[in-house]
Amino acid sequence: MKNKKIVFITASDETAGSTRIRVYKIANELKSRGYNVSINENIKNADILIFQKSSYKSIKKKFRKALLSNKFIVFDIDDLYSDGHIKFVKYSDLIIASCDYLKEQYLKYNKNIKVLDGTLDVINNDIPMPVYNLKNPKIGWFGTVSNLHLIEKFGIKNVTTITMGGDIEWSRETVDYNIQKFDLIVIPQEKTPVGLSKSNCRMLKTLYLGVPALVSDIPEYIKLAELVNYPKEMFVKDNEDWNEKIEKIKSGEIKFDFDFDRCRKILIENYDIKPMTDKWIDTIESSYKKDNFINHLKSILLKFKMP
């Protein structure tokens, strides 16, 4: 695949977490390995186009032109559950999703869907481990503003937020160090199609940074916990109260015993940029076909069908 021109198409820049993780970090690693890669450039000469999750309206013209030009089209839907992406899902040659749940939701539109986690996203892989105090924890939350309402929904008290316009302003350069100032990070998530489609990226970051996390028991968080042997007591089920769970942690009724150093080694082996790029290459190569006659025929048909 090294002799093929690969172009990533995205409507976001490197400041957006998903774009940084699934476009820029992967693209930069591919370039370092000698692959012919660009982002939003040389689209006309591309052999493989990777469309990263974006609103249909924002990249509709580029997507349609790619279809009619007989490109091999990959749509990385990441962890976004949205009916607004159905056209991308239907007409792409390959769909990449961040979890099995999301894959299952879209199989009725496209049978060629592969699951690929996001890469580890920390500013410094060698950042020192912090010291935490769960007897009197400072509780934090970080993420996008669109998820901020979950703190209120679950009634979690005394939480300091790291987000755009939050108690602590989010910045790529400072967020890791700010997370490490807390003794406990809470990551609530709803068990709706949108919530169940979420990736493990925030839990992954938190554990790598050496901070205990109290999280909802959604499949992707459970899967990550099983990989690193994270305590099951640090999950909050639907019938449990977040504040009561926190009080049990503070009192010692829930004993937290976890090897963050071992965890970090496991996460590096599985989620660092090199192993994740290996998985990315395998994912694309397993679906890419040199003979695109069928795809060309499909593009001709879609010319009269796709709005």
Side-chain angles (χ1 to χ4, degrees):
M1 203 167 68
K2 276 193 174 181
N3 62 339
K4 301 299 179 184
K5 174 64 178 174
I6 303 170
V7 178
F8 288 86
I9 306 294
T10 178
S12 307
D13 61 23
E14 200 170 356
T15 59
S18 61
T19 305
R20 181 172 62 255
I21 291 169
R22 301 180 80 90
V23 176
Y24 283 86
K25 289 174 76 74
I26 294 291
N28 290 337
E29 177 64 18
L30 288 170
K31 288 177 185 178
S32 73
R33 299 187 187 191
Y35 284 82
N36 187 357
V37 180
S38 64
I39 300 174
N40 292 330
E41 295 178 348
N42 300 321
I43 298 172
K44 183 178 180 181
N45 298 323
D47 299 297
I48 301 172
L49 287 175
I50 317 292
F51 284 85
Q52 191 239 354
K53 69 172 185 181
S54 301
S55 68
Y56 181 69
K57 183 178 180 181
S58 68
I59 52 179
K60 174 182 174 181
K61 289 183 179 179
K62 291 179 182 177
F63 188 82
R64 182 183 178 92
K65 184 178 290 186
L67 280 174
L68 300 179
S69 300
N70 192 29
K71 309 291 186 184
F72 185 81
I73 300 175
V74 180
F75 179 53
D76 184 354
I77 199 168
D78 190 4
D79 62 355
L80 185 62
Y81 178 89
S82 169
D83 289 341
H85 292 79
I86 297 301
K87 292 184 179 71
F88 284 144
V89 175
K90 281 183 177 180
Y91 301 138
S92 295
D93 298 297
L94 169 65
I95 307 301
I96 298 177
S98 64
C99 65
D100 289 323
Y101 177 85
L102 192 55
K103 173 183 176 178
E104 292 166 3
Q105 308 313 302
Y106 289 112
L107 277 173
K108 60 185 175 182
Y109 302 111
N110 192 323
K111 298 301 181 186
N112 195 22
I113 303 181
K114 304 291 179 63
V115 175
L116 187 66
D117 289 320
T119 60
L120 176 66
D121 184 33
V122 293
I123 199 74
N124 174 14
N125 278 14
D126 297 320
I127 188 171
M129 293 288 189
V131 176
Y132 55 86
N133 176 17
L134 291 178
K135 291 183 179 180
N136 185 28
K138 184 177 179 182
I139 303 169
W141 175 94
F142 69 99
T144 61
V145 175
S146 60
N147 288 317
L148 187 58
H149 71 283
L150 294 173
I151 296 174
E152 183 176 351
K153 177 180 175 62
F154 289 102
I156 310 173
K157 299 177 181 178
N158 303 316
V159 178
T160 300
T161 63
I162 306 173
T163 190
M164 296 293 186
D167 300 314
I168 300 174
E169 188 66 23
W170 185 93
S171 160
R172 184 189 175 194
E173 289 72 29
T174 61
V175 63
D176 293 355
Y177 301 103
N178 283 328
I179 289 171
Q180 288 189 323
K181 293 176 183 177
F182 294 96
D183 305 292
L184 181 67
I185 292 291
V186 292
I187 311 179
Q189 195 56 258
E190 295 177 287
K191 288 182 180 175
T192 61
V194 172
L196 290 170
S197 298
K198 292 299 180 184
S199 67
N200 63 20
C201 61
R202 284 188 295 153
M203 183 178 177
L204 176 67
K205 178 193 269 290
T206 303
L207 296 188
Y208 191 88
L209 292 173
V211 181
L214 186 64
V215 303
S216 294
D217 62 337
I218 65 170
E220 290 306 299
Y221 296 167
I222 293 173
K223 188 189 304 183
L224 179 60
E226 291 173 346
L227 176 67
V228 299
N229 198 29
Y230 193 68
K232 61 182 180 181
E233 293 80 9
M234 298 299 284
F235 283 91
V236 182
K237 300 178 181 178
D238 291 343
N239 61 346
E240 292 182 308
D241 182 273
W242 283 77
N243 297 304
E244 289 180 8
K245 198 88 171 183
I246 291 170
E247 288 302 318
K248 289 180 180 180
I249 293 171
K250 291 167 65 175
S251 69
E253 182 177 343
I254 293 178
K255 299 185 184 302
F256 183 77
D257 183 17
F258 184 65
D259 188 342
F260 277 110
D261 289 314
R262 178 178 176 274
C263 172
R264 181 172 285 192
K265 291 177 182 177
I266 295 172
L267 296 182
I268 282 287
E269 291 172 358
N270 287 272
Y271 289 97
D272 201 19
I273 187 59
K274 293 187 184 300
M276 286 308 302
T277 302
D278 290 340
K279 294 175 186 177
W280 188 94
I281 292 170
D282 289 343
T283 298
I284 304 299
E285 283 189 335
S286 65
S287 294
Y288 182 72
K289 297 182 180 0
K290 294 181 180 178
D291 182 2
N292 281 327
F293 173 74
I294 294 177
N295 293 332
H296 181 63
L297 178 61
K298 178 183 69 175
S299 71
I300 294 173
L301 294 172
L302 291 177
K303 181 177 181 181
F304 303 101
K305 182 178 180 182
M306 185 178 173

